[in-house]
């Protein structure tokens, strides 16, 4: 039985939720290959009801249920896929845990008070920074994105005190980003950093920062192509909040 039921759990479940749990237990061998939408369809319910039923039984969401199911599966490829999917789930959860609401609000206030926001990033992180800058522009902010290391070094020396240098960096140690932060700090401009390196020199140079989570087990170890999910989530949270109260 995938979900153990007792008197207290049964009393806490609605009739529909109990039917969902029974369905899950009766289809335990298929659960690792099913989605929450599949279960909702077969039980004439909704994904949110399925999720609620699972949580009421002490399981932290459908992904954890599927992960538990896959560990009992005979097929190695199913178990391996569950490990891959669980890795993304853990990464997302740890990013959320690390984000302070107070820090987000302070950063948004700093952005709102800036006459111009210069966003810089290098490598694959450029895609995150460029999208963030574009969305700021769409929301009416004076934002520019710079990926060229020589230009960012030059422009960071020309910032005024009412401007902001906003940095996206995975490890937080890229030389041109650190130098740009130093330049901006000398100019008196506000420096905001989003990175995944707790020992990044950028943090000491920043007025505000958010440090995300980076999984130590990179899929492709030969190159610097680690997941940018953490930075993407931070960027999305900020943009969504700004758009909500714009």
């Amino acid at each position: 039985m995938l979900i153990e039921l007792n008197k207290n759990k049964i009393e806490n479940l609605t009739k529909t939720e109990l039917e969902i749990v029974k369905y899950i237990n009766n289809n335990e061998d298929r659960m690792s290959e099913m989605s929450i939408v599949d279960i909702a369809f077969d039980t004439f319910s909704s994904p949110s009801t399925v999720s609620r039923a699972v949580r009421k039984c002490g399981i932290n969401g459908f992904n954890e249920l599927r992960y538990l199911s896959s560990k009992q599966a005979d097929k190695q490829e199913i178990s391996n896929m569950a490990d891959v999917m669980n890795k993304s789930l853990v990464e997302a959860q740890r990013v959320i845990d690390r984000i302070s609401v107070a820090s987000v609000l302070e950063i948004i206030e700093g952005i709102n008070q800036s006459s111009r926001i210069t966003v810089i990033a290098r490598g694959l992180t450029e895609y995150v920074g460029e999208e963030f800058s574009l969305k700021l522009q769409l929301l009416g902010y004076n934002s520019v994105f710079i990926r060229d290391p020589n230009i960012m070094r030059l422009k960071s020396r020309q910032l005024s005190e009412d401007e902001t240098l906003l940095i996206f960096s995975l490890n937080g140690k890229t030389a041109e980003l650190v130098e740009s932060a130093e330049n901006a700090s000398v100019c008196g401009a506000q420096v905001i950093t989003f990175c995944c390196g707790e020992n990044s020199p950028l943090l000491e140079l920043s007025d505000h920062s958010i440090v995300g989570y980076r999984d130590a087990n990179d899929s492709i170890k030969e190159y610097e192509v680690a997941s940018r999910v953490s930075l993407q989530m931070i960027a999305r949270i900020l943009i969504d909040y700004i758009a909500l109260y714009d």
Side-chain angles (χ1 to χ4, degrees):
M1 185 178 294
L2 193 56
I3 300 179
E4 296 291 337
L5 287 174
N6 54 40
K7 182 179 179 181
N8 290 334
K9 287 181 180 179
I10 292 174
E11 291 178 348
N12 193 38
L13 295 170
T14 66
K15 182 179 179 180
T16 301
E17 290 167 351
L18 181 57
E19 290 301 317
I20 290 171
V21 174
K22 289 180 178 178
Y23 175 88
I24 290 172
N25 283 335
N26 290 335
N27 293 273
E28 182 177 344
D29 57 333
R30 300 172 51 211
M31 204 52 50
S32 60
E33 301 178 13
M34 298 183 72
S35 72
I36 194 170
V37 176
D38 294 331
I39 297 173
F41 181 81
D42 288 348
T43 57
F44 304 99
S45 62
S46 66
S48 60
T49 305
V50 175
S51 178
R52 185 167 58 249
V54 169
R55 290 180 184 277
K56 281 187 177 182
C57 293
I59 297 175
N60 188 27
F62 180 74
N63 281 320
E64 182 176 319
L65 173 71
R66 185 162 54 186
Y67 181 73
L68 294 172
S69 174
S70 68
K71 285 305 179 182
Q72 299 177 15
D74 294 331
K75 295 182 179 180
Q76 184 63 42
E77 62 267 25
I78 294 177
S79 181
N80 290 341
M81 177 58 71
D83 287 335
V84 171
M85 297 176 71
N86 193 61
K87 177 181 175 181
S88 295
L89 175 63
V90 169
E91 185 173 2
Q93 288 177 331
R94 293 191 179 181
V95 172
I96 295 297
D97 290 343
R98 287 167 174 255
I99 296 178
S100 162
V101 174
S103 296
V104 171
L105 295 178
E106 288 176 355
I107 289 170
I108 291 174
E109 182 180 359
I111 290 174
N112 287 334
Q113 293 177 351
S114 300
S115 62
R116 182 170 61 178
I117 303 100
T118 300
V119 182
I120 62 174
R122 295 287 291 136
L124 291 182
T125 310
E126 292 174 11
Y127 296 108
V128 183
E130 185 173 25
E131 180 182 348
F132 184 81
S133 180
L134 173 60
K135 289 182 176 179
L136 283 182
Q137 293 172 22
L138 295 176
L139 291 169
Y141 289 82
N142 182 10
S143 176
V144 295
F145 174 71
I146 301 174
R147 61 166 51 86
D148 185 279
N150 294 320
I151 295 177
M152 65 177 65
R153 287 187 178 104
L154 176 62
K155 289 297 183 181
S156 61
R157 298 191 191 102
Q158 301 171 350
L159 297 176
S160 60
E161 294 183 358
D162 60 349
E163 294 185 61
T164 291
L165 180 70
L166 198 151
I167 306 169
F168 283 94
S169 178
L170 186 64
N171 58 33
K173 297 179 180 180
T174 306
E176 54 266 34
L177 300 181
V178 174
E179 183 179 338
S180 296
E182 292 172 342
N183 294 339
S185 181
V186 170
C187 294
Q190 177 180 230
V191 179
I192 299 174
T193 293
F194 305 132
C195 71
C196 298
E198 296 183 353
N199 297 317
S200 167
L202 288 172
L203 301 179
E204 296 183 2
L205 297 166
S206 300
D207 299 285
H208 304 289
S209 61
I210 295 178
V211 180
Y213 170 77
R214 176 179 178 178
D215 195 294
N217 298 316
D218 295 336
S219 300
I220 305 175
K221 302 183 183 301
E222 294 85 358
Y223 306 95
E224 178 51 271
V225 291
S227 169
R228 266 67 176 177
V229 167
S230 185
L231 297 176
Q232 291 167 335
M233 289 183 64
I234 292 170
R236 177 178 177 176
I237 288 171
L238 284 164
I239 290 296
D240 285 356
Y241 193 92
I242 293 173
L244 184 63
Y245 292 97
D246 184 50

